[in-house]
């Protein structure tokens, strides 16, 4: 080892905060440009398909306008009743199940070969054009209220509908499909398989767009999308198949009959999303008890929760794990209410290990009384354990909590940079290096999850 001083790392390469103490949002250069190119490519493909479909439809005219209008109204109603949350891409499962009725209607129209015993022959261009027009009518009010991510959702809807229609309409209209599976028991299974492939493509596309928008790891995003498919995804596929088959026999009267169950399910998902939001607000309000009592600085729990979720996302945790992590980060200091006198700035690190352990156990006992999952209480209880013995969620809360304590007490220019450097120096004993580096990358993007 020579005695020369190591050159300080470049903050632009390490993703550390800027010298003024504020997290920087400097792009990753080629990686950011590549992700932006992915979004542009997807939107360009969707726009090209939409323009071609609209042009062909306007030139040739509508085939069976009444059927096109009926399915268009169904899709628009499904979009208008959307329960999309006001979040960014990939933020929560509710965004994937925002408009199941609209998705089922679009897929049913793409797989419609007959209506009331008469062939429709509307083809791929008209399918995409009707779905796009109806989706635009339903999405506009959502955009006006600032809900959902309309461009990405529309691009996905156009591309997946076009994929399903391309796989079905030419085969059906030319009679090739009839020669393969005829109109027997194999036909519904063919439709189910085609819809399953379509939803799988949509999941891949959704994960790709979310990764391109946020830079989050791709595999956990895709895993979250796939986990959502067996639930509402199955209902959408089944309803799409049933609508297509029933319309072929009974005509348009099948639409209201077979759409009502999925519409009720959509409203139930909206209620569930509202309950989840209220639940999260209740936990956040309980976590503020330490701030109101003067034990922790104002906004500490909220900052630790937001930054912990971002670090967990960076490390590839799934949505359920991220929810548990967020709840534990909000309530990690609740045990300090047992102290007779608040510790300075709410930082328990200078306390003896036995006292830290006692506070953590009391905090876990309080958390268990709130009705949150047991994993949340376990994370709170193990904050005082050595980091090699902790689960990754507890390591994240431990490191982010230490960072917020250090950054809050290190005022002036470079305070956050010094706090991050102190965490790096403590990686051999108190913090996992992988978590510290993930925190550095998040701070380099501005310290936000989205």
């Amino acid at each position: 080892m020579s005695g020369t001083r190591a050159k300080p790392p470049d903050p632009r390469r390490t993703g550390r905060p800027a010298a003024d103490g504020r997290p920087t949002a400097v792009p990753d250069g080629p990686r950011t440009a590549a992700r932006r190119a992915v979004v542009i490519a997807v939107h360009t493909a969707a726009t090209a398909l939409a323009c071609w479909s609209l042009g062909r439809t306007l030139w040739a005219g509508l085939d069976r306008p009444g059927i096109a209008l009926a399915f268009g109204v169904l899709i628009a109603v499904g979009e208008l009743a959307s329960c999309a949350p006001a979040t960014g891409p990939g933020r929560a499962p509710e965004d994937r199940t925002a408009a199941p009725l609209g998705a089922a209607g679009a897929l049913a129209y793409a797989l419609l070969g007959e209506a009331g015993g008469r062939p429709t022959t509307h083809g791929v261009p008209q399918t995409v054009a009707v779905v796009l027009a109806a989706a635009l009518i339903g999405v506009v009010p959502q955009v006006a209220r600032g809900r959902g991510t309309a461009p990405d959702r529309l691009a996905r809807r156009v591309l997946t509908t076009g994929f399903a229609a391309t796989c079905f309409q030419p085969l059906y209209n030319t009679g090739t499909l009839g020669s393969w599976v005829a109109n027997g028991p194999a036909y519904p299974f063919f439709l189910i398989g085609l819809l399953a492939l379509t939803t799988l493509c949509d999941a891949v596309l959704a994960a790709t767009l979310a990764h391109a928008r946020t830079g989050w790891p791709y595999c956990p995003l895709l895993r979250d999308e796939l986990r959502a498919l067996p639930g509402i995804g199955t209902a959408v596929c089944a309803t799409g198949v049933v609508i297509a088959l029933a319309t072929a026999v009974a005509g348009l009267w099948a639409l209201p009959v077979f759409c009502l169950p999925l519409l009720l399910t959509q409203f139930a998902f909206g209620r569930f999303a509202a309950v989840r939001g209220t639940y999260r607000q209740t936990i956040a309000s309980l976590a503020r008890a330490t701030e109101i009592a003067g034990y922790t600085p104002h906004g500490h729990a909220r900052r630790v929760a937001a930054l912990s979720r971002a670090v967990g996302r960076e490390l590839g945790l799934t949505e359920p794990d991220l929810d548990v992590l967020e709840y534990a980060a909000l309530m990690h200091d609740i045990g300090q209410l047992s102290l007779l006198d608040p510790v300075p700035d709410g930082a328990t690190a200078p306390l003896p290990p036995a006292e830290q352990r006692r506070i953590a156990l009391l905090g876990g006992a309080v958390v268990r009384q709130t009705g949150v999952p047991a994993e949340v209480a376990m994370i709170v209880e193990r904050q005082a354990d050595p980091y090699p013995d902790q689960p990754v969620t507890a390591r994240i809360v431990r490191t982010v909590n230490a960072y917020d304590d250090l950054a809050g007490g290190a005022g002036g220019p470079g305070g956050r940079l010094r706090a991050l450097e102190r965490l790096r120096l403590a990686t051999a004993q108190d913090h996992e290096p992988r978590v510290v580096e993930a925190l550095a990358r998040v701070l380099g993007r501005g310290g936000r999850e989205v």
Side-chain angles (χ1 to χ4, degrees), residues 7-26 403 416-418 420-422 424 436-437 439-446:
K7 182 179 179 180
D10 187 354
R12 293 172 297 178
R13 296 179 60 85
T14 61
R16 301 179 188 176
D20 63 356
R22 295 179 58 84
T24 60
V26 179
Y403 168 79
R416 291 177 174 82
L417 179 60
R418 289 194 296 271
L420 189 57
E421 288 295 342
R422 291 183 62 180
R424 292 179 187 273
V436 175
E437 293 307 315
L439 173 62
R441 292 193 297 270
V442 170
L443 293 173
R445 292 199 298 267

Side-chain angles (χ1 to χ4, degrees), residues 90-177:
R91 170 64 174 82
E94 294 89 354
D95 186 56
R96 306 181 188 96
T97 59
L101 182 59
L107 293 176
Y109 191 56
L111 304 183
L112 185 67
E114 295 182 1
R118 296 176 55 195
T120 55
T121 65
H122 48 270
V124 177
Q126 179 172 319
T127 300
V128 175
V130 170
V131 170
L132 175 62
L136 285 173
I137 294 174
V139 164
V140 167
Q142 299 289 343
V143 176
R145 293 197 296 266
R147 303 175 63 189
T149 52
D152 288 351
R153 285 182 59 194
L154 281 176
R156 287 168 49 195
R157 182 62 55 82
V158 168
L159 292 176
T160 54
T161 302
F163 174 80
T166 301
C167 293
F168 177 82
Q169 291 292 331
L171 294 177
Y172 190 91
N173 293 333
T174 59
T176 305
L177 182 59

Side-chain angles (χ1 to χ4, degrees), residues 195-353:
L195 283 184
L197 182 60
T198 302
T199 54
L200 179 62
C201 294
D202 181 63
V204 172
L205 190 58
T208 301
L209 286 171
H211 172 70
R213 290 285 189 187
T214 64
W216 300 340
Y218 177 78
C219 289
L221 288 171
L222 179 59
R223 186 166 60 246
D224 288 336
E225 295 290 341
L226 296 177
R227 284 168 61 95
L229 294 183
I232 192 64
T234 303
V236 169
C237 289
T239 304
V241 170
V242 169
I243 291 175
L245 294 176
T247 304
V249 177
L252 297 180
W253 288 107
L255 294 184
V257 173
F258 292 99
C259 289
L260 183 59
L262 190 59
L263 181 61
L264 296 177
T265 302
Q266 180 167 327
F267 281 118
F269 266 93
R271 298 286 295 179
F272 175 71
V275 169
R276 284 190 59 181
T278 303
Y279 185 60
R280 182 177 282 109
Q281 292 174 2
T282 301
I283 294 177
S285 299
L286 179 61
R288 291 190 64 240
T290 56
E291 301 175 11
I292 297 173
Y295 284 89
T296 56
H298 177 72
H300 171 73
R302 177 179 51 80
R303 291 192 301 271
V304 172
L307 199 52
S308 294
R309 189 176 184 105
V311 173
R313 177 75 72 177
E314 184 71 20
L315 292 174
L317 299 186
T318 60
E319 286 290 344
D321 291 334
L322 290 175
D323 288 337
V324 170
L325 175 62
E326 182 179 1
Y327 295 155
L330 282 170
M331 306 182 72
H332 74 280
D333 275 331
I334 201 72
Q336 292 197 36
L337 294 175
S338 64
L339 299 175
L340 295 178
D341 298 311
V343 297
D345 296 323
T348 58
L351 297 178

Side-chain angles (χ1 to χ4, degrees), residues 43-77:
H43 287 191
T44 300
T47 302
L49 178 58
C51 292
W52 173 76
S53 301
L54 289 172
R56 286 289 301 271
T57 302
L58 291 174
W59 178 265
L62 286 175
D63 177 78
R64 308 286 294 274
I67 296 176
L69 178 61
F71 275 90
V73 170
L74 172 63
I75 297 169
V77 169

